[in-house]
């Protein structure tokens, strides 16, 4: 991958950038020496290079067994327990996966509490052979727990206790949490989420690797890409490294008051990669009333919706564009003798070439409109490149968090809604707040 920062230069203050740059090696040291906040959650740093061959083989074996007997595979999890897998799977599968005969089709549950979503899913699963992974590090999260209870009962009704159990994989803590206890009692195949890897940093553990392998994607290539980026960061914890450049520039832009970063892609298959990135950065940095707000768009689609705001709205934005150099397939615009649609001026060109010109034109237009653009140029969308990108963004996230002086590895703010929801649902231990919350809601 290459980083192009030329479209940020007019917006940056040299002295400010130099000041942040001067701290980069120390910031890496904080990560590598585990001396910063949240240092018990740095397991992801060495994870790619230390991935156990036996674990990979075991995951591949389990995935092969599940693939054989499943038309559909349900990934039950929320936040970091499903976004990484979905980012990689949607980036690499056919855009129209539900309509082509690629089995199993990967679907998701436990990432919302929509009754209608679950009913629709159950109706589909009534007619399909399926299996599932239930993924929760804590093993106590409400959304996946509800979905899993429903789906577990559905599997038992469909296949009987024993076969249902063989179609369930639990990925959770090695000892703690309700899911672990349930898995022990029922005898499910289980994989462990390492203690020192937080949910949003866990895509390269079984949390992401098992569903990705079930989707038929080469998990070794994914890990290989991450290993390469890990090695680069360790060998070059300096400004030569694109990870450092990205972390420094986004922090410098933030210091200049640009508090919103928009992840831009020109490939709809990367929509969930942006969703994964949004969680990684939003949950890691949004603390103590600080942090860049992460947003995302897909161009050129959203140039016809959000494009107006980005070009002309409040100037507190910068963009990070994932630019893909090579499409997987070739399709050229045909020539037509009558040229009624007036497209002959681009006849013979590949669609990707037109897309690329749209990208470059937009970068310049947005720069002219006062929106700095960081470009991350990748050769292709492949498992190996995605592995590199995953580690790239994880390390940059840790560095950025320390530059911001927050703990990038906790998420205390997520508890607020849970406490209120539990009180409103009358959960044991939360009754003290129930009356006051009901009063505020007029209930
Ligand atoms: O990054 C995180 O820690 C969170 O987003 C979690 O992944 C999410 O809340 C799900 O938690 P759990 O895996 O414990 O169910």
């Amino acid at each position: 991958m290459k980083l192009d920062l030329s479209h940020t230069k007019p917006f940056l203050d040299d002295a400010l950038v130099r000041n942040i740059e001067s701290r980069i090696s120390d910031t890496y040291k904080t990560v590598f020496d585990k001396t910063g906040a949240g240092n018990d959650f740095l397991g992801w740093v060495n994870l790619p290079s230390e991935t156990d061959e036996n674990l990979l083989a075991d995951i591949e074996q389990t995935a092969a067994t599940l693939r054989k007997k499943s038309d559909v595979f349900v990934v039950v999890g929320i936040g970091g327990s499903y976004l990484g897998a979905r980012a990689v799977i949607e980036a690499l599968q056919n855009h129209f996966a539900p309509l082509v005969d690629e089995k199993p089709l990967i679907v998701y549950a436990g990432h919302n509490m929509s009754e209608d979503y679950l009913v629709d899913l159950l109706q589909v699963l009534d007619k399909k052979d399926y299996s599932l992974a239930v993924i929760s590090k804590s093993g106590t999260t409400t959304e996946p727990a509800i979905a899993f209870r429903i789906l577990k009962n559905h599997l038992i009704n469909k296949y009987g206790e024993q076969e249902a159990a063989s179609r369930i994989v639990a990925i959770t803590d090695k000892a703690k949490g309700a899911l672990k206890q349930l898995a022990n009692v029922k005898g499910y195949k289980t994989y462990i989420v390492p203690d020192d890897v937080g949910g949003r940093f866990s895509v390269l553990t079984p949390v992401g690797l098992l569903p990705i392998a079930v989707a038929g994607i080469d998990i070794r290539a994914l890990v290989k890409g991450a290993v390469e980026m890990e090695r680069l960061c360790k060998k070059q914890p300096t400004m030569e490294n694109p990870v450092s450049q990205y972390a420094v520039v986004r922090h410098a832009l933030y210091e200049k008051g640009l508090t919103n970063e928009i992840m831009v892609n020109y490939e709809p298959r990367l929509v969930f990669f942006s969703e994964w990135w949004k969680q990684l950065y939003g949950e890691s940095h949004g603390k103590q009333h600080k942090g860049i707000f992460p947003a995302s768009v897909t161009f050129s689609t959203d140039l016809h919706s959000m494009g107006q705001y980005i070009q002309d709205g409040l100037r507190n934005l910068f963009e990070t564009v994932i630019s893909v150099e090579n499409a997987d397939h070739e399709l050229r615009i045909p020539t037509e003798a009558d040229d009624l649609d007036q497209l002959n001026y681009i006849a013979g060109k590949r669609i990707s070439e037109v897309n690329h010109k749209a990208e470059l034109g937009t970068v310049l237009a947005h720069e002219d409109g006062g929106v700095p653009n960081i470009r991350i140029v990748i050769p292709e969308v492949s498992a190996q490149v995605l592995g590199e990108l995953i580690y790239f963004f994880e390390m940059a996230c840790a560095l950025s968090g320390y530059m911001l002086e927050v703990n990038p590895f906790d998420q205390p703010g997520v508890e607020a809604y849970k406490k209120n929801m539990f009180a409103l649902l009358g959960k044991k231990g939360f009754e003290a707040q129930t009356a006051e919350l009901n009063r505020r809601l007029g209930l």
Side-chain angles (χ1 to χ4, degrees):
M1 71 161 64
K2 287 174 281 187
L3 205 63
D4 169 11
L5 298 173
S6 57
H7 306 284
T8 61
K9 294 274 187 284
F11 305 91
L12 288 170
D13 174 337
D14 280 350
L16 173 65
V17 173
R18 275 199 301 277
N19 182 288
I20 303 169
E21 280 177 2
S22 69
R23 288 183 266 142
I24 196 72
S25 294
D26 283 346
T27 314
Y28 274 104
K29 230 170 125 37
T30 311
V31 176
F32 293 139
D33 296 352
K34 303 192 174 182
T35 51
N39 53 7
D40 42 354
F41 283 98
L42 286 165
W44 56 272
V45 174
N46 301 330
L47 183 72
S49 62
E50 290 177 1
T51 301
D52 183 3
E53 164 59 35
N54 293 331
L55 176 67
L56 289 179
D58 192 290
I59 289 175
E60 285 168 339
Q61 174 66 50
T62 305
T65 308
L66 296 173
R67 277 169 67 78
K68 259 190 226 130
K69 55 181 180 182
S70 313
D71 300 322
V72 175
F73 184 72
V74 190
V75 179
V76 183
I78 195 166
S81 285
Y82 94 106
L83 279 167
R86 191 164 186 177
V88 174
I89 292 167
E90 300 215 350
L92 297 177
Q93 73 181 5
N94 188 292
H95 290 89
F96 302 97
L99 300 177
V100 296
D101 211 14
E102 270 178 24
K103 281 184 185 164
L105 177 67
I106 314 293
V107 301
Y108 303 86
H111 58 311
N112 61 49
M113 290 188 284
S114 163
E115 190 161 343
D116 290 336
Y117 183 96
L118 275 175
V119 170
D120 282 356
L121 177 60
L122 290 174
Q123 283 172 0
V124 168
L125 297 177
D126 279 342
K127 300 187 204 85
K128 301 280 182 191
D129 276 317
Y130 77 101
S131 52
L132 66 83
V134 53
I135 308 172
S136 175
K137 180 172 177 175
S138 63
T140 57
T141 307
T142 310
E143 290 89 338
I146 293 172
F148 181 55
R149 181 180 276 207
I150 304 273
L151 289 167
K152 170 175 55 86
N153 290 343
H154 186 267
L155 271 172
I156 292 170
N157 287 338
K158 192 171 167 114
Y159 297 107
E161 278 275 358
Q162 207 183 341
E163 177 62 17
S166 79
R167 288 173 178 268
I168 295 172
V169 177
I171 304 175
T172 188
D173 186 82
K174 64 178 183 308
K176 290 193 299 278
L179 178 57
K180 178 62 188 167
Q181 312 320 317
L182 179 58
N184 284 349
V185 171
K186 301 281 184 186
Y188 302 147
K189 168 82 180 167
T190 49
Y191 289 101
I192 294 168
V193 189
D195 278 344
D196 55 358
V197 181
R200 57 191 176 274
F201 287 84
S202 70
V203 51
L204 299 172
T205 74
V207 168
L209 295 180
L210 190 260
I212 292 167
V214 174
I217 293 164
D218 181 356
I219 53 173
R220 286 169 197 268
L222 186 75
V223 172
K224 184 166 179 258
V227 170
E228 278 176 16
M229 193 51 75
E230 178 193 328
R231 293 216 170 110
L232 178 69
C233 289
K234 288 179 175 166
K235 198 169 132 220
Q236 236 175 15
T238 62
M239 284 312 295
E240 307 304 305
N241 182 339
V243 175
S244 327
Q245 294 165 14
Y246 173 61
V248 165
V249 165
R250 69 191 295 283
H251 193 68
L253 294 169
Y254 174 68
E255 298 259 307
K256 298 282 285 180
L258 303 183
T259 55
N260 296 271
E261 178 176 7
I262 308 174
M263 178 65 66
V264 181
N265 68 68
Y266 283 76
E267 294 292 338
R269 63 207 279 204
L270 293 178
V271 164
F272 264 87
F273 193 81
S274 295
E275 294 303 314
W276 170 81
W277 170 84
K278 271 153 61 175
Q279 187 212 353
L280 184 62
Y281 280 66
E283 207 162 43
S284 299
H285 298 157
K287 285 156 204 176
Q288 302 163 30
H289 297 182
K290 295 195 275 192
I292 295 172
F293 183 81
S296 64
V297 291
T298 295
F299 289 162
S300 65
T301 312
D302 294 331
L303 285 171
H304 298 260
S305 57
M306 297 302 290
Q308 172 62 37
Y309 191 101
I310 296 168
Q311 186 69 47
D312 251 353
L314 192 63
R315 301 297 72 187
N316 59 359
L317 313 172
F318 66 97
E319 291 173 294
T320 296
V321 180
I322 304 277
S323 176
V324 182
E325 280 180 316
N326 299 301
D328 292 352
H329 306 285
E330 189 172 319
L331 182 63
R332 291 181 189 273
I333 298 167
T335 307
E336 287 187 0
D338 50 14
D339 196 24
L340 289 176
D341 55 11
Q342 299 173 8
L343 281 181
N344 274 357
Y345 80 104
I346 46 174
K349 287 194 192 299
R350 290 180 63 176
I351 309 281
S352 54
E353 204 180 331
V354 179
N355 200 21
H356 191 57
K357 296 290 187 232
E359 176 197 320
L360 297 177
T362 305
V363 164
L364 295 179
H366 288 181
E367 181 185 345
D368 291 345
V371 179
N373 267 243
I374 298 170
R375 289 179 70 238
I376 297 175
V377 183
I378 58 172
E380 73 214 353
V381 181
S382 63
Q384 186 166 335
V385 169
L386 289 171
E388 276 179 50
L389 273 183
I390 286 168
Y391 196 89
F392 173 95
F393 282 118
E394 287 180 347
M395 182 57 82
C397 179
L399 299 173
S400 293
Y402 285 147
M403 287 172 188
L404 201 59
E405 297 180 349
V406 298
N407 175 355
F409 307 111
D410 65 0
Q411 53 283 329
V414 181
E415 296 312 309
Y417 100 90
K418 290 187 194 169
K419 280 188 198 140
N420 287 350
M421 176 178 74
F422 292 147
L424 291 168
L425 288 169
K427 188 173 177 178
K428 203 160 167 257
F430 294 84
E431 303 88 341
Q433 292 82 41
T434 309
E436 170 60 6
L437 294 180
N438 279 338
R439 187 194 61 74
R440 284 174 61 196
L441 292 167
L443 297 174

